[in-house]
Each structure stands twice: as structure tokens, then as C-alpha cells.
Amino acid sequence: TPEQEAIAEALSDADALIESLEQMLAKKRHLKQGAMQELLTGKKRMSGFSGGWEIRRLGDVADIDSDNLSSVTPVGFAFKYISLEDVDSGSLRSYSEQIFYSAPSRARRRLRAGDILVSTVRPNLQSHLLFDSTESDWVCSTGFSVVRCRAGDAAPGYIFFHFFGHLVAKQIETLLTGSNYPAINGKDVKALEIPFPSFTEQTAIAAILSDIDAEIAELESQLAKTRALKQGMMQKLLTGEIRLL
């Protein structure tokens, strides 16, 4: 019937839109991988930058796990807590409100803006986070190693993207090889070697990669909305709640 055809057409239009968003998203993710490969290794330099890069250990440019709640923390201290499960590949999906006396025993690492949370349990899943809140009442699990960059030496965004790049991934893989439990520790994180350009070039590289991330997030949000819209349309069109003709 004409009505069935109209319904089918409306739904196939929604499908086509979903498919084109999925393709754009795949392209953009691929572009990000390529950009990281080139920019984080110095293979491709941004205009206006020259000069050599030097390989440095993370422990030489950042403090690792240096700021923890002590045993004399007031029992009533209230804070927002990030556990390993709350972080997914660069995104903070959730957090919980805790009070020191009843908080999990792993809730110990104090956070401040610019800290990088490196997941030390199953680090190959890359559940790392660049923390950006300026509030002072955030704490994360000791399942993370917290990297706090020294001003002028290391740009937090630059280091953060390295944790998703192949240079750091290879070093972590080597550390995990032959171990029964897939975990690394703060000492391992300190020893990770990263190539460093000047601080300004690090900042510029991080800005480009952050822009690509923002575009990816925007596409992901559009895709989720379009999928939800299609579900709603199906529900209403196939039950006759909405008529097209």
C-alpha cells in the first residue's frame, strides 16, 4: 500500500543518514590515528617549528603519584571519586560521591586540573583520562597512576595523547609480556620514554589532536541522536501512532 511504502521510505532515509554518519566517524577516527602517528613522533612537523626532539623518561618531566590522601584525613572529608570502571578511553562516564570513612580503600589519589590518570590495571584497554576539573574535591583510585606534568617541561595534552599512541603502547606491551596479571605500576610509568619537542610545540600538537577529538565527539553525539530518533519513528510508524498519509 502507499502508506507502507511511505513508512519504508522514511525508515530507509533514516538508515541512510545513520550510515553516512558512521562512515564519517570511521574516517575521522582513521584521520586521528594517522595524525597521532605523524605528530607525536616528529615525522611531520607543524609549520614554524624546528629544532631537535629528545627522548625523556616520564619521571624526568612529571611527578607520578605524588599527591595522596593521608591516614590523618578527616573522617568526614567528602569527595567525588573516580574508579577504574568510571573511565572509558579518554572519557569520564560517571563518578560517585564518597565520604572518607566509608570510601573504598583504593580511593586515595588527589586530583587537580591537568592531571593524567593512567590505568595501571589492564593498561592495554587504554582507560586513561585527562582530568580537567578545577574543583579541589576529586580523588581517584590507586588503580590509576596519576601523572602531574611539571610546568614548562611537559604539556598534559601532549603526554595524554601518547598514552593512545603506538610508542607508549609498545613499551606497555613489553612490560606486560610474560606477566600473569596484566598490570603495570608507578615505577613503570615513570620509566616510559617519550620523544619531546619544545613545550610550545607540544602544546600546539595537543591542540590539533584535541580539535579532532571534539569533532569525533560531535559525530558520536549526532549518531546516537539519529539512532534514537529512528527507534522512536519505528515505534510510532509501525504501530500507526503516527500516520504518514
Side-chain angles (χ1 to χ4, degrees):
T1 68
E3 186 170 11
Q4 285 172 350
E5 279 167 24
I7 289 172
E9 197 177 324
L11 293 176
S12 90
D13 285 349
D15 278 338
L17 181 55
I18 287 169
E19 197 178 320
S20 84
L21 284 168
E22 283 171 344
Q23 284 171 357
M24 281 159 73
L25 195 50
K27 254 193 211 148
K28 193 62 80 175
R29 285 185 178 137
H30 188 66
L31 175 84
K32 181 188 168 187
Q33 280 308 319
M36 280 171 65
Q37 197 89 325
E38 291 185 324
L39 294 172
L40 295 175
T41 56
K43 217 180 276 179
K44 185 178 180 187
R45 299 294 288 272
M46 291 161 61
S47 65
F49 291 104
S50 57
W53 289 38
E54 62 173 319
I55 303 278
R56 299 177 77 178
R57 290 176 158 225
L58 203 44
D60 295 336
V61 293
D63 298 314
I64 318 290
D65 301 335
S66 58
D67 191 0
N68 299 295
L69 293 176
S70 73
S71 52
V72 295
T73 301
V75 290
F77 173 62
F79 56 90
K80 300 181 184 80
Y81 174 57
I82 301 174
S83 73
L84 284 170
E85 293 72 38
D86 292 327
V87 175
D88 174 29
S89 221
S91 300
L92 181 61
R93 299 288 184 207
S94 53
Y95 66 88
S96 59
E97 304 270 355
Q98 300 285 348
I99 289 169
F100 187 69
Y101 74 87
S102 58
S105 60
R106 302 193 85 170
R108 287 294 179 272
R109 303 216 193 284
R110 277 182 171 277
L111 295 173
R112 68 171 188 227
D115 283 349
I116 301 148
L117 282 64
V118 176
S119 173
T120 54
V121 181
R122 297 197 175 77
N124 43 343
L125 296 180
Q126 299 183 328
S127 296
H128 314 308
L129 180 72
L130 179 55
F131 184 72
D132 59 5
S133 170
T134 51
E135 296 170 338
S136 61
D137 58 345
W138 284 84
V139 170
C140 77
S141 164
T142 51
F144 293 104
S145 220
V146 175
V147 177
R148 187 167 289 172
C149 295
R150 293 184 198 138
D153 280 337
Y158 178 77
I159 302 281
F160 172 68
F161 282 114
H162 264 288
F163 277 96
F164 295 88
H166 73 292
L167 291 176
V168 166
K170 264 199 299 213
Q171 293 174 67
I172 287 175
E173 219 169 280
T174 306
L175 289 165
L176 295 180
T177 305
S179 69
N180 301 328
Y181 185 61
I184 56 174
N185 58 35
K187 206 167 85 223
D188 296 327
V189 173
K190 272 182 192 170
L192 291 170
E193 294 185 334
I194 290 176
F196 282 93
S198 70
F199 185 75
T200 43
E201 190 169 358
Q202 291 174 46
T203 309
I205 290 169
I208 285 186
L209 296 175
S210 297
D211 286 349
I212 300 176
D213 263 356
E215 290 166 13
I216 288 173
E218 176 56 35
L219 282 170
E220 283 173 341
S221 152
Q222 282 180 24
L223 183 57
K225 280 182 192 151
T226 310
R227 283 183 177 142
L229 198 66
K230 185 201 162 188
Q231 279 303 333
M233 273 170 61
M234 279 173 72
Q235 188 73 11
K236 292 188 158 79
L237 291 172
L238 299 176
T239 56
E241 195 181 323
I242 286 181
R243 306 292 296 269
L244 288 181
L245 296 174

